[in-house]
Amino acid sequence: MRTDPAAPPADSAVVRDALGVGVAVGLSGFAFGVTSAGAGLGLLQTCALSLLVFTGASQFALVGALAAGGNPFTAAAGAFFLGVRNAFYGLRLSGLLGVPRAVRPLAAHWVIDETSAVALAQPDRRTARLGFTITGLTLYVLWNLTTLIGALGASALGDTDAWGLDAAGPAVFLALLAPMLSGTVERAVAGLGVLLVLLCQPVLPAGVPVLVAALAAPAVLTVHGRMTRGTEPGERR
Amino acid sequence: MTIWIAIGVTAAGCYLVKLLGLSVPAGVLERPLVRRLAALLPVALLAALTAQQTFSDGRHLLLDARAAGVGAAALALVLRAPFLVVVAVAVVVTAGVRAL
C-alpha cells in the first residue's frame, strides 16, 4: 500500500500500530473495573482511578492493597513505586517528541508503557508524535470506558469472588511481569520479592509486605555488583 | 474517606513522576545504577503482588482456588496467549475450581 517509498514509514502504518496497541490494552480496563469494584471501591472511585492515575499496574496495586486492608499511605506507596518507571519513559520521550512547554502537562498524563513503546519504535519526531498521540488517545478513551463497564458489570454480579474475579488481579500482575523476566538478575529479584512478601505477610501490617519486597531490587543489584566485580576485576574501576 | 485519600495521593504521585520525566534535562536520571534500579523495582513489586494476591486473604497465607487460576494463567503465558486471554483463563479456572 506504500505509495512513496522515500517516506518511511507510511503514516497509515504508524496509525495502524498505534490503534492495535491502544485497542488491545484499552479493553483491559474492563478487568480493572471488575477488580476494583470487587475490592469494594465505589463506581466513582474506580472511574476516578482510571481517569486520574492512568497507569494500569499502579491502579491494580492500589485496589489490591486497599482490599487487603492497607492504610491509604502504604497502599499509595506501592502504587507510586510502580509508577516511577514512567519517569524514565518520559526522559527518553522528551528528546524524541520535543513536547512544547505548554502541552507538556497534558502529554505527561499519557506517558505510560504502551505509548512509550509505540513512540520509541518510530524513526523520527513526526511519526513518534503521531504514534504517541494516537496510542494515548485510543488507550485513554477505551481504558476509561471499559473501566466503567467493568465496574457496572461487577456490581450487577454481586459476589465477584464466586465468579473467580478475584483471580483477575494477580493474573494481570503475572502477565505484566512475564516479559520482564528475561535475565538471571530479573528472575532473582522476582524470586526474592516473592519470598519476602510471603514471609512478611503474616507478621506485618497490610501494605507493608509489598514495600519490604521492593527491597529485593537493591539487594540483588548489590550482590550482583559484588559478584561481577569479583569475577571481572578492573572492569568497573 | 480513606479510599479517597489513597486515590488522591496515588494520582498526584503518579502524575508528578510522569511530568518529572518529561521535564528534567536528560542526564539527571541517566546514571546506570539509577536506570537499573528503576527497571528492577517493578519486577520486585509485580512478583510480590502476584504472590500476595494469589496466596493470601490480606492477612493470612492460604491456598485456595486462586492458586489454580493463576497457575493456569502462567501456563497460558508460556503458550504466548494474549493479555486478555491470560486474565480470562485465570478467572474461568478459579470459578471452575470453586464450583466443584
Side-chain angles (χ1 to χ4, degrees):
Chain A
M1 282 299 281
R2 201 174 283 182
T3 49
D4 179 11
D11 286 359
S12 61
V14 180
V15 171
R16 197 177 335 112
D17 285 355
L19 283 176
V21 173
V23 170
V25 182
L27 293 177
S28 330
F30 184 76
F32 174 71
V34 167
T35 305
S36 180
L41 274 77
L43 185 66
L44 203 58
Q45 293 170 327
T46 299
C47 290
L49 277 171
S50 278
L51 285 165
L52 301 176
V53 177
F54 189 54
T55 173
S58 296
Q59 295 177 223
F60 275 104
L62 185 75
V63 300
L66 289 174
N71 85 54
F73 297 105
T74 50
F80 171 78
F81 284 132
L82 273 173
V84 166
R85 72 187 185 292
N86 291 328
F88 292 84
Y89 293 141
L91 212 55
R92 294 177 63 194
L93 285 175
S94 66
L96 179 64
L97 297 177
V99 186
R101 186 176 283 272
V103 188
R104 207 181 281 159
L106 271 176
H109 197 43
W110 285 357
V111 175
I112 53 169
D113 302 274
E114 292 81 12
T115 51
S116 306
V118 172
L120 292 169
Q122 308 307 326
D124 57 36
R125 175 168 291 179
R126 203 182 55 83
T127 45
R129 280 180 170 176
L130 184 66
F132 178 85
T133 309
I134 296 198
T135 312
L137 184 67
T138 321
L139 196 38
Y140 193 71
V141 170
L142 279 179
W143 178 259
N144 281 291
L145 205 62
T146 52
T147 293
L148 176 66
I149 297 170
L152 287 173
S155 333
L157 284 178
D159 180 14
T160 51
D161 284 8
W163 298 87
L165 293 174
D166 53 337
V172 166
F173 289 131
L174 194 63
L176 292 170
L177 174 66
M180 297 181 184
L181 296 177
S182 49
T184 319
V185 175
E186 285 78 6
R187 288 188 203 135
V189 168
L192 186 59
V194 168
L195 195 66
L196 285 173
V197 82
L198 293 181
L199 286 175
C200 293
Q201 188 68 27
V203 288
L204 293 178
V208 181
V210 171
L211 299 184
V212 173
L215 295 175
V220 170
L221 210 53
T222 307
V223 172
H224 181 73
R226 288 234 174 90
M227 278 164 60
T228 44
R229 226 166 295 165
T231 50
E232 300 162 51
E235 198 221 18
R236 284 178 148 264
R237 310 239 159 118
Chain B
M1 199 57 221
T2 307
I3 291 178
W4 280 115
I5 294 172
I7 292 172
V9 173
T10 304
C14 286
Y15 178 71
L16 287 176
V17 289
K18 289 175 181 174
L19 189 62
L20 180 76
L22 275 186
S23 307
V24 300
V28 173
L29 295 174
E30 286 287 350
R31 289 172 54 202
L33 187 66
V34 178
R35 287 194 64 91
R36 196 87 179 97
L37 199 56
L40 286 176
L41 214 48
V43 174
L45 286 165
L46 290 172
L49 287 163
T50 307
Q52 185 189 47
Q53 296 194 10
T54 306
F55 300 112
S56 149
D57 62 357
R59 183 78 242 161
H60 307 98
L61 297 181
L62 84 166
L63 197 63
D64 69 1
R66 275 175 301 174
V70 176
L75 189 65
L77 278 168
V78 170
L79 297 174
R80 306 198 169 276
F83 186 86
L84 281 178
V85 174
V86 172
V87 177
V89 163
V91 168
V92 170
V93 170
T94 304
V97 171
R98 270 197 195 124
L100 288 179

